[in-house]
Amino acid sequence: MDDEKIVALYIQRSQQAILETRKKYGAYCRVIARRILANLRDVEECENDAYLAAWNTIPPQIPRKLSIFLGRIIRNIALDKHSYNTAKKRNNEFEFILTELEECLASSHTVETIFEAGELAQCISQFLYTLDEQTRNIFIQRYWYSSSIKDISLHFQMSSSKVKSNLFRTRNKLRFYLKSEGLYI
């Protein structure tokens, strides 16, 4: 079933919308959550919470692209669950991915206040469009989808060291870009 029909089912408040969403996007949502969370029960819980959030959000919001809309919902839910799970302890590779970006996002402002204002997100988005397509996709795979270096190197058919080097250079470029925009001090 295409996205417009699924969204129409949400608007009609038909429970079939959730079944069709699960059928078409269930694996996609689980992959996003699994890259952030280690526990499969947590992944399932996040997936179900994402369907509920979509149910509660559509309408009044009407997503232009359902996959991106669901991806954003599941990612945010998984990040919240990760924060809850790691409030007293440190965890796996996802923590490492976050620490890679810390030096780019350091500022006298809190990340939350800048992000709430939308400035940081907009600035990073603008920065990404200054990159060539492959570099942009490598960055997004690592920091949005939380893909491992190994997975990225296989996907882009390059060595792990080349992927690491690419990410290092891109993070440095991001830091300088944020400095030039006044968002990094």
Side-chain angles (χ1 to χ4, degrees):
M1 181 175 285
D2 68 2
D3 289 357
E4 290 152 5
K5 290 180 182 175
I6 295 172
V7 170
L9 290 172
Y10 277 105
I11 292 169
Q12 296 167 5
R13 307 312 287 163
S14 170
Q15 291 190 10
Q16 186 67 28
I18 293 175
L19 298 173
E20 294 296 333
T21 303
R22 182 185 305 270
K23 189 186 309 180
K24 186 168 183 180
Y25 293 110
Y28 169 73
C29 289
R30 285 187 299 276
V31 165
I32 292 171
R34 200 173 320 141
R35 292 211 171 124
I36 297 170
L37 302 166
N39 185 319
L40 291 179
R41 286 187 182 168
D42 287 345
V43 171
E44 288 176 17
E45 182 181 334
C46 288
E47 180 185 5
N48 290 330
D49 289 349
Y51 299 141
L52 177 63
W55 179 265
N56 291 332
T57 307
I58 306 172
Q61 289 186 14
I62 308 298
R64 286 184 285 165
K65 186 130 173 96
L66 189 58
S67 61
I68 294 172
F69 179 78
L70 291 169
R72 181 176 296 147
I73 289 173
I74 189 82
R75 186 171 191 278
N76 289 336
I77 291 170
L79 287 170
D80 288 345
K81 185 69 172 172
H82 177 268
S83 294
Y84 175 80
N85 289 347
T86 59
K88 294 182 181 175
K89 59 184 177 190
R90 289 290 181 216
N91 192 355
N92 65 21
E93 172 149 346
F94 189 67
E95 288 294 326
F96 181 72
I97 291 171
L98 293 177
T99 59
E100 288 178 355
L101 281 176
E102 277 180 354
E103 63 187 45
C104 296
L105 302 177
S107 171
S108 61
H109 306 287
T110 64
V111 173
E112 292 81 14
T113 59
I114 294 172
F115 187 80
E116 286 174 0
E119 294 176 49
L120 183 60
Q122 184 179 13
C123 193
I124 291 173
S125 182
Q126 290 170 349
F127 165 75
L128 289 174
Y129 284 105
T130 68
L131 303 174
D132 64 86
E133 185 177 356
Q134 184 178 42
T135 301
R136 179 175 54 244
N137 288 333
I138 289 170
F139 190 87
I140 290 169
Q141 282 295 313
R142 181 68 172 165
Y143 300 115
W144 175 259
Y145 291 108
S146 306
S147 296
S148 69
I149 298 293
K150 180 181 175 184
D151 289 343
I152 295 170
S153 66
L154 290 172
H155 179 78
F156 290 97
Q157 298 177 345
M158 46 180 30
S159 69
S160 292
S161 61
K162 187 169 181 180
V163 170
K164 288 177 187 176
S165 175
N166 181 297
L167 289 168
F168 177 79
R169 284 191 306 272
T170 306
R171 286 192 311 270
N172 283 336
K173 287 179 186 176
L174 175 60
R175 186 180 328 100
F176 289 121
Y177 186 85
L178 293 174
K179 280 182 182 179
S180 72
E181 296 296 316
L183 293 173
Y184 181 93
I185 297 174

